[in-house]
Amino acid sequence: KQEVTQIPAALSVPEGENLVLNCSFTDSAIYNLQWFRQDPGKGLTSLLLIQSSQREQTSGRLNASLDKSSGRSTLYIAASQPGDSATYLCAVRGNYGQNFVFGPGTRLSVLP
Amino acid sequence: GAGVSQSPSNKVTEKGKDVELRCDPISGHTALYWYRQSLGQGLEFLIYFQGNSAPDKSGLPSDRFSAERTGGSVSTLTIQRTQQEDSAVYLCASGGSPGQGALNEQFFGPGTRLTVL
């Protein structure tokens, strides 16, 4: 059974810092991995999707990497801004299942 | 274009009553998912529809929960004889446009916040 963990659970940084969020999964037989952000009281917004054959994806100040063999993905946020404050979730879809398994999230606060 | 929509946005009900939650997926998406998120918890998978295939109901917590997807589009999640522990935000997602393959991104709706008194 796939299990997804995220470290740290919460992170507070001053504006302008570069930061890394971590996602680990126990079963490396994945189809893809997706990073989301969730603002308080809102639904999830898709940030980046990495297929199992890819090593990384970039969108603006965000860069997500995937190392299937070690069961890890990282989300790199460059030059953080207060508007980046949210909970960041990673979700993994396995080769044998059609639904995603979500991690518990990292709650990010970027202080002005 | 329009995203995933859900209704109602908030629902307050009394213990023991039945509730129906609606999800309108993005037009053309073949996959539809229901999740729930309890206060301070992660997302819990409930059910998944893909095209005309039999749905994956493996995440439904009890037989009080059921879902339908009519005409491959709109879906309704029904909770019978609601209990206080059913209180959560119920999120719907769709994905898998034709040409992209069926196993790609999920796009989420805003959710329905259910409160069972």
Side-chain angles (χ1 to χ4, degrees), chain A residues 7-112:
Chain A
I7 294 174
L11 181 63
S12 184
V13 299
E15 180 177 6
E17 274 203 9
N18 303 324
L19 56 99
V20 174
L21 308 181
N22 297 289
C23 172
S24 298
F25 45 96
T26 55
D27 186 349
S28 61
I30 68 168
Y31 186 86
N32 59 31
L33 183 148
Q34 192 167 357
W35 282 94
F36 297 88
R37 68 173 281 169
Q38 184 175 31
D39 294 280
K42 306 284 187 178
L44 278 67
T45 300
S46 177
L47 297 174
L48 290 164
L49 173 74
I50 309 178
Q51 302 291 357
S52 63
S53 57
Q54 297 175 321
R55 299 281 297 183
E56 64 178 332
Q57 281 286 335
T58 297
S59 176
R61 293 182 295 107
L62 305 179
N63 176 277
S65 67
L66 174 64
D67 184 343
K68 269 201 329 179
S69 61
S70 64
R72 292 168 59 180
S73 176
T74 61
L75 179 67
Y76 175 83
I77 303 177
S80 58
Q81 302 172 358
D84 295 331
S85 298
T87 296
Y88 289 79
L89 297 155
C90 70
V92 174
R93 192 201 296 270
N95 283 332
Y96 311 110
Q98 306 301 309
N99 59 289
F100 281 83
V101 177
F102 279 81
T106 294
R107 190 170 65 254
L108 173 65
S109 297
V110 181
L111 306 175

Side-chain angles (χ1 to χ4, degrees), chain B:
Chain B
V4 179
S5 61
Q6 293 185 245
S7 60
S9 55
N10 282 283
K11 176 71 176 179
V12 180
T13 191
E14 295 179 347
K15 177 181 173 181
K17 295 287 180 69
D18 297 351
V19 295
E20 285 189 352
L21 313 180
R22 177 186 170 106
C23 172
D24 284 88
I26 293 172
S27 178
H29 277 188
T30 56
L32 189 147
Y33 310 78
W34 283 98
Y35 297 87
R36 74 175 175 182
Q37 188 174 35
S38 303
L39 186 63
Q41 302 295 313
L43 268 74
E44 176 188 4
F45 164 74
L46 297 177
I47 189 169
Y48 162 68
F49 296 90
Q50 174 57 62
N52 295 321
S53 301
D56 176 358
K57 304 179 181 180
S58 60
L60 295 179
S62 78
D63 59 7
R64 296 186 295 105
F65 288 72
S66 63
E68 291 184 343
R69 188 178 186 191
T70 55
S73 180
V74 172
S75 177
T76 302
L77 177 68
T78 301
I79 309 173
Q80 296 178 311
R81 305 181 301 283
T82 52
Q83 304 294 313
Q84 288 181 330
E85 60 263 30
D86 299 335
S87 296
V89 176
Y90 288 81
L91 291 161
C92 173
S94 71
S97 294
Q100 289 185 344
L103 300 181
N104 275 322
E105 280 185 89
Q106 295 182 96
F107 298 88
F108 278 79
T112 293
R113 181 175 300 276
L114 174 65
T115 303
V116 182
L117 302 177

